[in-house]
Amino acid sequence: MGRFRLIDWMDNAPAPARASAVPALVRSYVHGDLTPEAREMMEAALTLIADDPSPDVRRALAEALSIHETAPRHLIVALSQDLPAIAEPIFRRSPCLIDSELTAAVALGTPSIVKAVASRPWISFEVADAIAAEGDREAVLAMLANPGADLDGEAFAAIADRLGADGEIREALFARRDLPLAVRQSLISALGEKLGRFLVGRAWIAPKRAGVVLREACDKATVFLAGSAEEAELSALVEHLRSTGQLTTALLIRSMCEGHIRFLEAALARLSGLPATRVYALLMDGRAGALRALFTRAGLPERSHAAFLAALEVWRELDYDGREGDKPRFGRRMVERILTRYQEFAPGEVDDLLAMLRRLAAESARTAAREILESRREGRSRAA
């Protein structure tokens, strides 16, 4: 079809025929071996299509051009400013758009446009921050499900603050392997508070009892998270806990009862202002007097020093035995010996730390029993 006949045909053909012809025209423009004159005429024809009165034809053009990096710039801009249904393919996948255009679309576009941006094959940190700060739940869900979205800690924290109460958002956040531990912990803490209000509101548990149970459950989850943290993440988690008032003596004692010396090291380094290497050396080999000085400098109450000293003595003595059920058995031995030593340091003293250690001992015994039985069940299943 000659160049003028093509334009005449586009002027007179019905809209469905014009729309069906668009993909072939775009392929010819992008991949065809065209003379400069022919390419100029083909670009003029595509420009006319961008002004076609039929939305279906313009949508077909947007779909066809959106996958090509060499698409004419003026057409991409024109289509991105068209009706949302026409602009969506451009925002969803056109490589011709730059971050400033994408962030502007997030700020000014319709929800469908923002969701399209969130679904792009790759999203930069800048664009992800914009969606985290301003996108609605559908756009945020699309971004969280997108493996090509680069999210930093600020983006995750913004989503958690704005939409963390939404169960589906929360699940999508937890499913991200790059979710920072500090944000993960904040979600767990917020969920615990929500559960506590629900239980107290239904009169299923007394308010003070709910506070103790849920705080200890949150502490247990926090210690579990800390156990798998890299050094940088562990420092960030400690700072988050400190700034939110969750870096408590009870949490640190629990961490020691479970053998997480790295968490105690990071916490004491942050609270005391001493280098982590110095703190670790004291925890490994320091005498009682030097350790008490460290605890005092970190702001730990004097009445808790005996519990930490007992925990460190036991931690230095114990090791994994290498047998089946080793880890839960180690935890149980650890907390039981700490409880015994603490009672020796403070004979007859009845306080909240002693009560907490007794609860931890009972909890570790149940955990060890469950894990050993589960391990044996799995062994029988494999043998069968």
Side-chain angles (χ1 to χ4, degrees):
M1 184 181 295
R3 66 189 88 137
F4 296 111
R5 289 179 59 197
L6 171 62
I7 295 175
D8 289 340
W9 182 84
M10 292 298 296
D11 284 340
N12 298 299
R18 298 199 304 274
S20 64
V22 166
L25 293 174
V26 170
R27 285 195 299 271
S28 295
Y29 175 82
V30 173
H31 301 298
D33 185 14
L34 303 174
T35 65
E37 184 182 7
R39 179 170 297 279
E40 182 181 18
M41 184 56 65
M42 185 71 74
E43 186 172 309
L46 294 176
T47 302
L48 288 178
I49 295 173
D51 294 327
D52 195 286
S54 169
D56 292 338
V57 175
R58 303 199 305 277
R59 169 78 182 203
L61 182 62
E63 292 278 6
L65 288 176
S66 65
I67 62 174
H68 295 296
E69 191 171 1
T70 57
R73 173 72 189 162
H74 69 281
L75 294 182
I76 294 297
V77 171
L79 292 167
S80 70
Q81 296 174 353
D82 207 320
L83 298 173
I86 296 162
E88 281 173 26
I90 300 297
F91 283 108
R92 184 177 297 111
R93 55 179 178 261
S94 175
C96 299
L97 297 177
I98 60 176
D99 280 355
S100 59
E101 291 168 326
L102 296 172
T103 54
V106 171
L108 305 174
T110 63
S112 64
I113 292 297
V114 181
K115 185 176 180 181
V117 173
S119 304
R120 291 174 64 82
W122 175 70
I123 305 172
S124 70
F125 288 110
E126 180 183 358
V127 176
D129 285 347
I131 296 172
E134 301 185 65
D136 65 9
R137 72 181 300 274
E138 295 303 320
V140 170
L141 283 171
M143 181 172 68
L144 291 175
N146 184 353
D150 287 336
L151 281 77
D152 56 20
E154 290 184 7
F156 280 120
I159 294 171
D161 288 343
R162 287 203 308 124
L163 302 168
D166 185 300
E168 196 172 355
I169 293 285
R170 198 164 52 241
E171 287 183 15
L173 283 167
F174 282 136
R176 294 279 305 207
R177 298 185 63 178
D178 53 346
L179 180 69
L181 287 186
V183 178
R184 194 177 293 271
Q185 194 280 335
S186 70
L187 289 168
I188 292 173
S189 179
L191 185 60
E193 292 178 3
K194 182 178 180 181
L195 177 60
R197 290 192 296 269
F198 174 79
L199 294 175
V200 171
R202 293 296 183 94
W204 289 348
I205 190 171
K208 290 185 178 180
R209 175 62 178 161
V212 171
V213 170
L214 293 170
R215 183 174 62 252
E216 291 190 354
C218 184
D219 283 355
K220 182 177 181 180
T222 300
V223 171
F224 176 80
L225 291 175
S228 60
E230 299 292 338
E231 184 175 351
E233 274 203 313
L234 194 57
S235 297
L237 177 61
V238 165
E239 177 56 28
H240 162 73
L241 294 169
R242 187 202 64 78
S243 64
T244 56
Q246 298 180 77
L247 193 60
T248 62
T249 302
L251 175 62
L252 296 180
I253 290 177
R254 173 182 280 275
S255 74
M256 274 305 303
C257 286
E258 297 191 20
H260 292 303
I261 193 71
R262 290 173 57 250
F263 180 69
L264 181 64
E265 171 200 331
L268 291 176
R270 179 64 184 85
L271 293 172
S272 68
L274 294 174
T277 53
R278 173 61 177 157
V279 171
Y280 184 72
L282 287 170
L283 296 178
M284 286 290 291
D285 301 307
R287 297 181 179 274
L291 288 168
R292 287 183 181 276
L294 171 63
F295 300 151
T296 299
R297 180 166 177 162
L300 300 181
E302 184 176 355
R303 66 188 183 87
S304 71
H305 293 184
F308 283 108
L309 290 172
L312 284 169
E313 282 190 11
V314 174
W315 178 77
R316 291 170 180 176
E317 295 169 0
L318 283 179
D319 198 358
Y320 291 117
D321 57 29
R323 295 185 289 115
E324 184 178 357
D326 184 13
K327 186 174 180 180
R329 186 163 49 249
F330 175 87
R332 180 176 182 179
R333 285 183 297 153
M334 182 88 177
V335 70
E336 286 178 348
R337 291 194 189 185
I338 291 170
L339 177 59
T340 301
R341 297 283 177 88
Y342 180 69
Q343 289 172 319
E344 291 173 359
F345 283 138
E349 184 177 353
V350 180
D351 60 16
D352 57 338
L353 290 180
L354 179 60
M356 187 191 77
L357 286 170
R358 288 171 61 86
R359 289 195 298 272
L360 287 176
E363 177 186 304
S364 66
R366 292 195 303 271
T367 300
R370 283 194 297 266
E371 293 196 19
I372 290 170
L373 287 175
E374 184 61 30
S375 177
R376 291 179 179 176
R377 288 194 189 100
E378 290 177 358
R380 287 197 299 269
S381 297
R382 286 194 297 269

